[in-house]
Amino acid sequence: MSPVRSLLSQALPDVLLEFPDRLVEKLEMEKMNVESRSSAFSVVGRFFGGHGALRSLSLCALALALGTVPAVASGQGCGQPVSCLTAFGFEQTAVGDAILETDCDTGRLKVSNLGSSGCDGVSINLGESVGVEYSILAPLMPSTTTDGSIMTATRSYGGNASATLVCEDIGNETEVRSEFLNLGVTSKTLRVYDDDPITQERVLVAEVRGHTGSWDFRLGDATNPAPVVSSWGGGGGGGGGTLECRGRLYCGGEECRLITINGGGSVMGTGFEVLTESYVNPMSSSTFTILAGAGIQELNIVSEALVQFPGLAHTVVHDAVFEPPTGSSKLKISNLGSSGCDGVSINLGGTDSFEVEVAELNDGNGIPDGAFTETLVRGTVAGVRDQLITTSRITDAGNQLELSVSGAASYTVRLFSGGNMIFEEGGRGGGPIVRVSESNPCKREIHFVLPNLDPGGGFPFAGAETYRTTWEWDSLASMDIPGGASFQADELHVIPEGNAAPDFLTGFEMRGADVGSIEIGDEKSFLCRGGTVNWEFIGQAEDVLRVNGSVGVPGTREVSVPVRDPITVSLSAAPEGPALAKYFLVAWIGDPQAPTNLRIAGNILGCFVNPIPLTGGNPMPFRCLRGGLPSVVCNGVREINAPPTAPFEATKATGLANPLTLSIQAFLEDNGSAHPVGYSVTNAVIVNIQ
């Protein structure tokens, strides 16, 4: 063990928490966005960790103090072989005899001078962050590597606990195996998926449970040189979960899709997955290390991202740098210069609503007049992903903060105090919207909300569908409307006029100029879980679907039920009636994967956490109940006996015998619906059988 790793293993204590087993019993179909890649073999990794009151350790600084590295890149210039540098927002430290270098043309991190021992590579400090994602270009190309070539990606915790993904050339095959040390892993579930050639949706084609073999999958080198391997652990931040390793194949032609699963034969597939059937999370600070040897001459790392909050991946923009959290869950992004190009980008996947809590600009931070933070929100518009939806900027304008927006020709502005709207004006341009006193330097919460989760801005089914951006303060602040009056308010809504709402939000970017750093205190992303019941009357959704009397944890809507405990699902009538309502209820196996809007007569009625027979797509529900509605609402899904109308309550006294996750949602006749057809989508409940 190198001096740096030895010191880290002693410095980071082992804090163990026992997590309940959580094994998904069966997953028939699952939606997965496929990212096109030109590389022949990329490795993408994602590890979840936990929290602990530990200090941050700079690997570069530690290595220099120990005298184990000769140099640090000055100014992070490209094309300079060194042993420590900053890339992708992380301090990168060479391990063993490796040498690091940033490619001037591509921005990739090149790790060279790799010997045959498999002990040379690169390491980064994760602190107490939830995890890291990574992508490596073609480390095991058959044309350039020899038998025995090996690459490992390891997240090392305190107390000699670790999770490792191994890729090794073994003749005419690439062997993939996952190895877990001191994490309580005794067996695994292996799965292979295949993409539908038209929709690119991921379908489960093979599964082996109770796997204890020495390897997991084998891919033929001669015909299949292109796996993209992803690995991560679940349950960070105190929740239960499993450790997982996933792989994706990015290469053309049928010959690239053959995967041999240990104990399950060979199948055609485009991805594979390992789920552990037990897991103990060490919940401590950690490091992440990638090593290679034998015939691998160099590693080319394409990207790295920090995973934080509810599993969201963060990528630095331009010259920004991560400060991995220690002692709290806050994420700090520093080294923000004067260009306005430095910041952080967050991959939202596909969501209705995103909330972020950030520190407010104020003179107490020593920032100059003209300093600003800017946010950009992207989404899927008319089926095209990652379109820029809106841009907002907060600028230090002396003794006030000036807020401006762009992306629409005009806006409606609303101010609230204690939940009551005190000002509304439409037709405002996209210049300065509001000027806010700097006397309130508290946190600022920014919400980007699409119509189907808009709790305060109305649900515009009949008119132009739109979205809103909301800012919230902890206490009242003086707000001036340019050309208008002044108010004491704690909430601001800005709604574009005439802009169609995107289907989903896919990305969020925050950057700054002359602010030094951005500190994010929390983030939340919700996937169609709120429903639209009774929207016409109160402008927000009422909960009517419950499991064991609960609508779940706020935001996530998750309910935990022990294995074999009774499960009661209840669906109430809508508050405005009718007293006996028509309905259908569906259940999917697994967590929500593919949020889907239900449109009727051209307008959105609501959003389901996954597709349903009326919308098409995958994953489809595995069970359906209906009362008073035609069979088409359950078309192709197995129906079970159901009450003729809602309200109703159904109980399975013996519960479920195995751990799994169910997502449940319904469609309900509703006199309070904002849609003219008189139906709404209910809230969703995510049931974790543990």
Side-chain angles (χ1 to χ4, degrees), residues 141-422:
M141 283 290 291
S143 60
T144 59
T145 58
T146 59
D147 291 358
S149 297
I150 190 169
M151 188 194 73
T152 62
T154 300
R155 178 155 189 179
S156 300
Y157 305 88
N160 295 321
S162 63
T164 300
L165 183 72
V166 181
C167 297
E168 183 175 4
D169 190 312
I170 56 167
N172 63 348
E173 293 179 304
T174 298
E175 183 174 276
V176 179
R177 58 185 184 269
S178 51
E179 300 174 351
F180 307 98
L181 179 64
N182 296 327
L183 289 170
V185 176
T186 57
S187 60
K188 315 168 192 176
T189 293
L190 307 183
R191 292 174 175 166
V192 174
Y193 298 88
D194 199 15
D195 286 341
D196 183 281
I198 299 176
T199 66
Q200 294 298 302
E201 289 156 353
R202 201 165 61 129
V203 179
L204 179 66
V205 295
E207 179 180 71
V208 173
R209 300 185 185 180
H211 170 64
T212 58
S214 59
W215 57 274
D216 301 327
F217 302 97
R218 284 179 177 162
L219 316 168
D221 275 351
T223 59
N224 187 15
V228 175
V229 180
S230 173
S231 177
W232 66 91
T242 61
L243 288 172
E244 302 177 8
C245 298
R246 285 187 180 178
R248 299 287 295 164
L249 309 183
Y250 291 100
C251 56
E254 290 290 319
E255 71 279 2
C256 297
R257 299 169 52 232
L258 184 66
I259 301 175
T260 300
I261 182 171
N262 194 347
S266 297
V267 294
M268 302 300 290
T270 52
F272 52 84
E273 179 179 70
V274 179
L275 294 88
T276 65
E277 296 170 1
S278 58
Y279 172 44
V280 177
N281 190 351
M283 298 287 284
S284 64
S285 291
S286 63
T287 58
F288 179 70
T289 306
I290 302 170
L291 304 175
I296 300 178
Q297 302 301 313
E298 68 179 36
L299 297 174
N300 285 276
I301 302 178
V302 178
S303 65
E304 294 174 354
L306 187 143
V307 180
Q308 190 66 331
F309 305 111
L312 298 174
H314 300 65
T315 305
V316 295
V317 179
H318 207 248
D319 292 328
V321 174
F322 289 122
E323 295 187 16
T326 56
S328 74
S329 62
K330 292 183 178 180
L331 174 60
K332 189 174 183 179
I333 301 96
S334 59
N335 200 42
L336 307 184
S338 59
S339 67
C341 299
D342 307 318
V344 63
S345 179
I346 305 169
N347 181 8
L348 301 181
T351 183
D352 318 278
S353 168
F354 178 66
E355 302 176 5
V356 58
E357 177 189 312
V358 295
E360 182 65 86
L361 297 181
N362 65 90
D363 282 338
N365 293 337
I367 61 174
D369 293 352
F372 67 84
T373 58
E374 184 176 64
T375 59
L376 299 88
V377 182
R378 295 180 172 86
T380 297
V381 182
V384 181
R385 285 181 58 86
D386 298 322
Q387 302 298 297
L388 182 62
I389 299 170
T390 185
T391 302
S392 59
R393 177 180 290 194
I394 296 182
T395 304
D396 189 309
N399 61 349
Q400 287 185 313
L401 301 175
E402 183 177 89
L403 190 148
S404 58
V405 294
S406 61
S410 60
Y411 296 86
T412 294
V413 178
R414 297 171 180 159
L415 295 179
F416 294 80
S417 176
N420 299 312
M421 189 168 67
I422 58 176

Side-chain angles (χ1 to χ4, degrees), residues 60 111 118 128 132 274 281 285 288 318 332 382 403 452 466 474 479 488-489 579 584 625 631 647 690:
C60 275
V111 185
E128 297 162 38
V132 63
V274 179
N281 190 351
S285 291
F288 179 70
H318 207 248
K332 189 174 183 179
L403 190 148
N452 51 336
T466 188
D474 276 345
M479 298 190 185
Q488 293 290 312
F584 71 79
L625 292 78
S631 61
Q690 299 177 331

